[in-house]
Amino acid sequence: MSTEPHPPSAGAVPPAGAPAPQIPQRREITLISHSMLFYWWPIWLLGSVMAAVTYFEDHRLAVLPAGTTVSEKKDDKGNVWKDDKGNTFYEVGVPGTSTTKSLTGAVERSKPVPGGGTANAFPTRVSQKVWMAPVFCVILLVTVIITNVPLRGLWSFLVLLLFVVIALLITLVPDGWDKVLGALGHLHIYINMAGYLFIASVVFVLWAVSVFIFDQRTYIVITPGQIRVCEHVGASIRTFDTTGLSFEKQRDDLFRHWLLGFFSGDLIVRTAGAERETIRLPNVLWIGWRLEEVQKLLAEKATVTQV
């Protein structure tokens, strides 16, 4: 009689205490390509900060006719006249019958309201700091240029250095911005709080929609054996084998890639085989660190193949 043990049935339960079988996890790395709108984050950030500064500074804008004169109101002894609350009063002289909506509205709002107190005579908030609006405009223009005109290598560095040096020289001079703009025919630039807030809000909404929705549809998913590529929104997903795959990073725009882009760069992927293709993914964040992860992931396939 045979005494050979019978093999366990397919539905046999492993003995108690035995370790559960380990299911290998499928590792993958996703590289997202961002649009140029990603680099506009300084605009909504700076606009929000300047709107907050203008709000807490709490200075107001008055629009007056040309030729208006302002003088301190004085008593019979020639002293500046103040009321019981210590408020200083000024006399505004308007030429002829000229007036503005800002002035007439201020007169109406200065009248006592039921319940005591008065409304703000001039409701529009604007900062008296001369440098704020010019700096905001310069940064806005620089961002427009950098995101539309590629300045690679030395040119990008020289342009950035030029703007920094000019801004520092003007700022270091006492009342530098006031003197420069005054020499240009008093072409002072002022933006009220609503202006900063409007620009910052619109840019932020566009930036958020682009970065967190549309940009997520342009990607490369890399696994040890293959890559899946979607090059633009609505495009079909293509699959390539990782054998002979090569990666190249381009990160030579100092301003765009290093300062605004959080060490981003443009990724170029070249496939192997009979039908070789070149895949370009611009503006991949932290591209140096991510490519190191990709190389380690692809090395896993080579190790498994050798074994």
Side-chain angles (χ1 to χ4, degrees):
M1 180 181 293
S2 174
T3 59
E4 294 181 0
H6 296 283
S9 60
V13 179
Q22 297 292 329
I23 301 177
Q25 295 183 353
R26 181 179 178 85
R27 288 192 58 197
E28 63 180 31
I29 297 175
T30 303
L31 303 179
I32 304 295
S33 175
H34 292 279
S35 66
M36 285 295 184
L37 195 57
F38 172 80
Y39 300 108
W40 281 65
W41 62 266
I43 304 304
W44 61 258
L45 178 61
L46 184 62
S48 301
V49 170
M50 290 190 170
V53 171
T54 305
Y55 175 81
F56 289 107
E57 188 177 309
D58 202 17
H59 289 144
R60 306 303 171 118
L61 174 66
V63 181
L64 303 174
T68 300
T69 59
V70 180
S71 60
E72 292 179 328
K73 187 176 181 179
K74 299 182 179 181
D75 56 18
D76 297 337
K77 298 180 180 180
N79 299 321
V80 177
W81 188 79
K82 296 184 178 182
D83 61 6
D84 298 336
K85 298 180 180 179
N87 297 323
T88 303
F89 288 82
Y90 292 85
E91 294 179 340
V92 179
V94 178
T97 58
S98 301
T99 187
T100 62
K101 291 183 178 180
S102 176
L103 185 58
T104 55
V107 173
E108 293 297 325
R109 285 186 290 269
S110 297
K111 296 178 180 179
V113 296
T118 58
N120 286 315
F122 301 99
T124 304
R125 297 175 185 264
V126 66
S127 175
Q128 67 173 351
K129 294 180 173 61
V130 181
W131 59 268
M132 282 182 55
V135 168
F136 181 78
C137 292
V138 168
I139 293 179
L140 176 61
L141 293 176
V142 169
T143 303
V144 171
I145 294 173
I146 293 299
T147 54
N148 289 276
V149 181
L151 300 173
R152 298 189 179 275
L154 183 61
W155 281 109
S156 177
F157 175 76
L158 292 178
V159 170
L160 176 62
L161 183 63
L162 178 64
F163 279 107
V164 171
V165 170
I166 293 176
L168 285 177
L169 290 177
I170 296 176
T171 305
L172 291 176
V173 176
D175 298 326
W177 286 102
D178 197 7
K179 294 177 181 178
V180 170
L181 298 175
L184 297 175
H186 295 284
L187 297 178
H188 293 77
I189 304 173
Y190 289 98
I191 302 177
N192 61 14
M193 186 188 71
Y196 288 124
L197 201 58
F198 175 77
I199 296 174
S201 300
V202 172
V203 173
F204 175 76
V205 170
L206 296 176
W207 180 88
V209 171
S210 175
V211 171
F212 296 110
I213 298 179
F214 291 111
D215 289 354
Q216 303 299 318
R217 271 65 176 174
T218 306
Y219 58 85
I220 290 182
V221 178
I222 304 171
T223 61
Q226 67 178 12
I227 64 171
R228 302 191 303 273
V229 181
C230 183
E231 296 185 72
H232 55 82
V233 178
S236 59
I237 300 176
R238 298 188 296 165
T239 304
F240 300 92
D241 190 86
T242 57
T243 303
L245 205 65
S246 65
F247 296 88
E248 178 186 351
K249 66 177 179 180
Q250 292 183 347
R251 190 168 58 187
D252 50 4
D253 192 322
L254 176 66
F255 194 91
R256 179 162 61 93
H257 289 154
W258 291 89
L259 297 182
L260 296 183
F262 301 104
F263 306 102
S264 65
D266 301 333
L267 177 64
I268 301 177
V269 182
R270 295 183 176 88
T271 63
E275 298 181 358
R276 299 186 178 184
E277 293 195 32
T278 300
I279 304 167
R280 298 179 181 272
L281 252 69
N283 309 321
V284 179
L285 302 185
W286 301 291
I287 187 171
W289 170 62
R290 300 307 303 276
L291 281 184
E292 290 181 2
E293 288 189 327
V294 170
Q295 296 298 337
K296 293 178 182 179
L297 184 65
L298 295 181
E300 294 181 5
K301 178 188 176 183
T303 303
V304 173
T305 303
Q306 292 176 0
V307 174

